[in-house]
Amino acid sequence: MYHILGSTVYLAGSADSTCMGILSPTDGPITMELSKDARWPMSNSGCRFPNWLTGSKWRNLAYTELYEADSSGYMVQIKHQRGHGLQSHYQTLQVLRCRTGNEETSMYEGVSYTSHKCSSSYQCVRFFKRNDHVVEVNTGTLVATSAEACQTQNVQNMTRKTLLSVEASSVICPHTNERTIQTVSSPACTNSLQPNCKRDVMVKVCQNTIVKRLQCLSSWRQEGKTYVVAKQMGEHDVIANCFTVDSGGDSIQLSVDRQCNMGTPLMLSQPVQYAYKQSTVPCNTRYSTTSTEKAYTKNLTSSVSRISCQLRTILFVLVTFFLFTSTQR
């Protein structure tokens, strides 16, 4: 039994399915008083998250969370992955609802009304577009009012996550496409950093005699540094890491960036350094077919055609001979 009085709802329920014991909306075994939360931001408020964020689905580098926006761009759901492979499914962990926001070219700062299970609070959110396939999200402390969300004390220790577009595929790793085969400087390793001009790029790194084959997924420049997101070659739905690639003199140093990988297991425990030599063959011609290779292929095709013709002639003669001898008998 219920009664609506203004913006308040009075509700009474029975202890079981008999509906006995309910005397009025305010008198019964179970009673509730429901009122509208004045803080609740309505979807028609006009606030939207940036298009470069809502136009794609995003995963964290640990591949445990999926960020997905609704069609209006007003709400972003953070879903947690349960299970692996065919048994995996996503469960909504948090919901960010846009309250206010200011967008620049590749940066967005606003206030979100964040819901987690039965709890909702305001928090300051910042999104940084690193490139078309990488976004960084920073979230502040959960607070009671919208006005205090982005105040200094609530954004000093923001949680930082790097997100990768689910549409990201392999790309050429930075610096490596201009070099010859690299030699690792560590005496414990004899493996090499192997560049490749093709799309399916593989970089082999070794540390403590363990070889990891890394596939580059995206890269960008930020504050004078080169960043690259990579995962182990041939693996699906596994962790990716954010690396910094420092190139200077005659060496390349590959390091994991701890801030960029916040909350993600690290693939390398310490930096790996390689020596290199500048390649004398441009990347766009290194894998092209040379005139010698083309001539060889042409001659080979011609030889195969001649042999095929000769075989057909021999077969015709044998069949004719067989038919002739059969007729004579």
Side-chain angles (χ1 to χ4, degrees), residues 251-319:
S251 66
I252 292 177
Q253 181 168 292
L254 187 68
S255 310
V256 292
D257 187 278
R258 295 186 179 275
Q259 284 191 330
C260 190
N261 287 293
M262 189 175 291
T264 306
L266 303 181
M267 299 171 67
L268 297 177
S269 58
Q270 56 186 347
V272 179
Q273 189 169 351
Y274 298 86
Y276 66 79
K277 293 181 179 180
Q278 186 75 27
S279 175
T280 57
V281 182
C283 188
N284 57 357
T285 62
R286 195 184 308 169
Y287 291 92
S288 61
T289 305
T290 64
S291 57
T292 304
E293 291 173 331
K294 292 179 179 178
Y296 173 77
T297 303
K298 181 178 180 180
N299 293 335
L300 180 61
T301 304
S302 178
S303 299
V304 170
S305 299
R306 287 197 301 270
I307 293 173
S308 177
C309 182
Q310 291 172 358
L311 288 175
R312 287 198 299 269
T313 303
I314 294 172
L315 180 60
F316 175 76
V317 171
L318 290 175
V319 171

Side-chain angles (χ1 to χ4, degrees), residues 142-315:
L142 294 168
V143 294
T145 65
S146 174
E148 60 182 319
C150 290
Q151 291 180 357
T152 304
Q153 67 272 20
N154 296 318
V155 296
Q156 288 179 336
N157 299 302
M158 301 186 82
T159 300
R160 174 180 176 180
K161 290 184 180 179
T162 301
L163 307 181
L164 182 68
S165 169
V166 297
E167 301 170 354
S169 59
S170 60
V171 298
I172 295 176
C173 297
H175 300 299
T176 59
N177 63 319
E178 301 172 354
R179 317 297 183 192
T180 57
I181 292 180
Q182 320 295 311
T183 303
V184 66
S185 61
S186 171
C189 293
T190 57
N191 293 281
S192 60
L193 175 68
Q194 295 183 351
N196 194 329
C197 289
K198 299 179 181 179
R199 300 297 293 176
D200 293 325
V201 176
M202 178 180 67
V203 177
K204 294 174 69 175
V205 298
C206 76
Q207 191 172 41
N208 300 327
T209 68
I210 297 177
V211 178
K212 295 182 183 294
R213 301 194 306 165
L214 303 183
Q215 183 180 19
C216 296
L217 301 175
S218 191
S219 65
W220 70 97
R221 292 279 297 174
Q222 176 187 338
E223 297 178 352
K225 289 185 178 181
T226 298
Y227 290 82
V228 58
V229 174
K231 68 175 184 178
Q232 283 197 247
M233 189 77 176
E235 299 289 341
H236 298 283
D237 295 338
V238 297
I239 64 168
N241 267 189
C242 183
F243 299 89
T244 56
V245 183
D246 296 323
S247 175
D250 59 351
S251 66
I252 292 177
Q253 181 168 292
L254 187 68
S255 310
V256 292
D257 187 278
R258 295 186 179 275
Q259 284 191 330
C260 190
N261 287 293
M262 189 175 291
T264 306
L266 303 181
M267 299 171 67
L268 297 177
S269 58
Q270 56 186 347
V272 179
Q273 189 169 351
Y274 298 86
Y276 66 79
K277 293 181 179 180
Q278 186 75 27
S279 175
T280 57
V281 182
C283 188
N284 57 357
T285 62
R286 195 184 308 169
Y287 291 92
S288 61
T289 305
T290 64
S291 57
T292 304
E293 291 173 331
K294 292 179 179 178
Y296 173 77
T297 303
K298 181 178 180 180
N299 293 335
L300 180 61
T301 304
S302 178
S303 299
V304 170
S305 299
R306 287 197 301 270
I307 293 173
S308 177
C309 182
Q310 291 172 358
L311 288 175
R312 287 198 299 269
T313 303
I314 294 172
L315 180 60

Side-chain angles (χ1 to χ4, degrees), residues 5-265:
L5 182 61
S7 60
T8 304
V9 178
Y10 298 94
L11 178 67
S14 61
D16 53 32
S17 59
T18 61
C19 292
M20 296 179 62
I22 303 177
L23 303 178
S24 71
T26 58
D27 189 1
I30 302 173
T31 59
M32 288 182 284
E33 181 180 330
L34 309 177
S35 59
K36 183 178 179 180
D37 188 348
R39 302 177 304 166
W40 185 262
M42 303 302 292
S43 60
N44 60 2
S45 63
C47 183
R48 299 291 182 270
F49 291 112
N51 292 332
W52 44 263
L53 173 72
T54 61
S56 179
K57 294 181 182 180
W58 307 85
R59 286 175 174 167
N60 64 339
L61 297 185
Y63 276 64
T64 57
E65 294 177 357
L66 179 71
Y67 285 63
E68 183 177 8
D70 66 344
S71 58
S72 68
Y74 159 72
M75 179 176 65
V76 174
Q77 295 187 64
I78 305 174
K79 301 179 180 180
H80 185 74
Q81 182 174 344
R82 304 283 185 180
H84 299 280
L86 297 176
Q87 303 298 324
S88 65
H89 65 280
Y90 287 95
Q91 179 179 352
T92 301
L93 185 67
Q94 280 186 320
V95 177
L96 309 181
R97 293 179 175 86
C98 187
R99 181 64 169 172
T100 60
N102 297 304
E103 180 181 356
E104 298 179 7
T105 304
S106 57
M107 187 267 190
Y108 174 93
E109 178 179 283
V111 176
S112 165
Y113 190 67
T114 303
S115 301
H116 175 61
K117 296 183 178 179
C118 293
S119 175
S120 296
S121 301
Y122 292 100
Q123 71 177 162
C124 191
V125 293
R126 293 173 181 168
F127 295 99
F128 300 90
K129 180 183 178 182
R130 299 309 182 193
N131 60 28
D132 289 341
H133 295 294
V134 177
V135 165
E136 180 185 316
V137 55
N138 296 353
T139 52
T141 305
L142 294 168
V143 294
T145 65
S146 174
E148 60 182 319
C150 290
Q151 291 180 357
T152 304
Q153 67 272 20
N154 296 318
V155 296
Q156 288 179 336
N157 299 302
M158 301 186 82
T159 300
R160 174 180 176 180
K161 290 184 180 179
T162 301
L163 307 181
L164 182 68
S165 169
V166 297
E167 301 170 354
S169 59
S170 60
V171 298
I172 295 176
C173 297
H175 300 299
T176 59
N177 63 319
E178 301 172 354
R179 317 297 183 192
T180 57
I181 292 180
Q182 320 295 311
T183 303
V184 66
S185 61
S186 171
C189 293
T190 57
N191 293 281
S192 60
L193 175 68
Q194 295 183 351
N196 194 329
C197 289
K198 299 179 181 179
R199 300 297 293 176
D200 293 325
V201 176
M202 178 180 67
V203 177
K204 294 174 69 175
V205 298
C206 76
Q207 191 172 41
N208 300 327
T209 68
I210 297 177
V211 178
K212 295 182 183 294
R213 301 194 306 165
L214 303 183
Q215 183 180 19
C216 296
L217 301 175
S218 191
S219 65
W220 70 97
R221 292 279 297 174
Q222 176 187 338
E223 297 178 352
K225 289 185 178 181
T226 298
Y227 290 82
V228 58
V229 174
K231 68 175 184 178
Q232 283 197 247
M233 189 77 176
E235 299 289 341
H236 298 283
D237 295 338
V238 297
I239 64 168
N241 267 189
C242 183
F243 299 89
T244 56
V245 183
D246 296 323
S247 175
D250 59 351
S251 66
I252 292 177
Q253 181 168 292
L254 187 68
S255 310
V256 292
D257 187 278
R258 295 186 179 275
Q259 284 191 330
C260 190
N261 287 293
M262 189 175 291
T264 306

